[in-house]
Amino acid sequence: MKTILAWSGGKDSTATGILARRHGIAIDEIVTVMPDPFEREIEFMRKFEEWMGQRVTVLKGPSFEDYFWRKKVRGPHKGTIYGWPFTVYRACARVMKWEPMQRWAKAQGEHKFLLGIAKGEARNVIEPNESLLLRYGLTEDDARNLCEEHGLLNPLYAHFRRLGCVRCPKQGRVALCKVAELEPKKWAWMKEHDEDSPVTFKPGRTLGDYMSNTAIHRNSQK
């Protein structure tokens, strides 16, 4: 059976890779999906590859702009774009990450995923998939400590509590200010295309409205 590490770049999946090496568990392939990555995530992936001694396969899937800014082909709003994803749904995780992973997995024959699910999480592991964090009794805090011990904690944790796409509307003002600092080109894209979206960035508020009282917005208006 082929063993595949489903790697997100987060502490739990990275700690899973560390545990596999520590306990001599062979990984046949490491795969990830990056629909809207930070540059620092890509740099971190190269570091993780070097430490693991294996390449990470980046699976092909829709990019953020290609998926949400595509035009509708049917219905009463045909020809208009979808725009910002609704914050109450998980379309990003399902369509942009889970579905590309599942399509790829179907072509792999008999396999199991090593999943980054830590002790104490309210998520189940469906066989034959497995969590090494559960096998060895590691919590999320333990996973973070293990990554730090090996110099493999994603640098974005220094700025964000949880990792996600650059242009995710679920982010608060502080996180979005950090997005503007770390990803100026994508931040410029967000501002440029904000008014094109039929869906507001936040419920009832455009990106400009939501960020209107922040220093980053005031500076951009000068």
Side-chain angles (χ1 to χ4, degrees):
M1 177 182 290
K2 189 175 184 179
T3 300
I4 303 165
L5 171 59
W7 187 71
S8 68
K11 63 187 185 311
D12 295 338
S13 60
T14 300
T16 299
I18 295 171
L19 287 173
R21 280 199 59 185
R22 173 180 287 182
H23 295 282
I25 299 169
I27 293 175
D28 296 294
E29 191 154 9
I30 305 172
V31 296
T32 192
V33 185
M34 291 183 155
D36 192 29
F38 286 83
E39 285 295 325
R40 293 191 183 187
E41 284 184 287
I42 297 173
E43 293 169 3
F44 176 64
M45 182 178 70
R46 303 305 178 208
K47 181 178 181 180
F48 182 66
E49 287 178 322
E50 182 178 357
W51 193 89
M52 290 291 294
Q54 288 181 255
R55 292 294 302 275
V56 175
T57 300
V58 180
L59 304 181
K60 186 177 181 180
S63 68
F64 185 93
E65 56 265 47
D66 287 344
Y67 184 77
F68 291 108
W69 255 252
R70 76 192 194 282
K71 291 184 178 181
K72 299 177 182 180
V73 297
R74 61 177 64 88
H77 303 292
K78 179 180 177 180
T80 63
I81 64 170
Y82 286 83
W84 296 119
F86 291 100
T87 55
V88 294
Y89 301 129
R90 291 180 58 82
C92 294
R94 177 177 59 82
V95 175
M96 303 179 74
K97 294 183 178 181
W98 186 84
E99 290 182 358
M101 185 78 75
Q102 293 305 307
R103 285 194 296 270
W104 176 85
K106 286 181 179 179
Q108 302 309 306
E110 190 176 8
H111 68 277
K112 70 173 180 179
F113 281 111
L114 296 181
L115 304 173
I117 297 179
K119 180 181 177 181
E121 285 194 76
R123 292 192 291 165
N124 295 322
V125 179
I126 301 174
E127 295 184 350
N129 300 328
E130 185 181 3
S131 167
L132 298 185
L133 298 177
L134 291 177
R135 182 198 287 192
Y136 297 109
L138 273 68
T139 64
E140 289 189 78
D141 287 342
D142 295 330
R144 183 180 181 118
N145 292 337
L146 185 62
C147 292
E148 289 179 333
E149 177 186 335
H150 290 83
L152 288 174
L153 184 68
N154 191 315
L156 289 178
Y157 281 117
H159 309 295
F160 304 99
R161 181 180 175 185
R162 290 192 175 275
L163 308 185
C165 293
V166 173
R167 287 167 279 194
C168 179
K170 293 183 179 181
Q171 298 176 96
R173 290 184 181 86
V174 173
L176 288 167
C177 286
K178 185 56 65 171
V179 166
E181 176 186 333
L182 297 177
E183 294 288 339
K185 290 184 179 179
K186 287 186 177 181
W187 178 252
W189 185 97
M190 293 170 70
K191 293 192 299 178
E192 179 183 351
H193 292 85
D194 185 34
E195 294 186 1
D196 298 337
S197 175
V199 178
T200 54
F201 187 76
K202 295 285 188 179
R205 306 182 74 179
T206 66
L207 175 64
D209 291 339
Y210 183 68
M211 300 297 290
S212 61
N213 292 324
T214 64
I216 187 72
H217 178 82
R218 292 194 298 270
N219 291 338
S220 69
Q221 303 303 307
K222 293 180 180 178

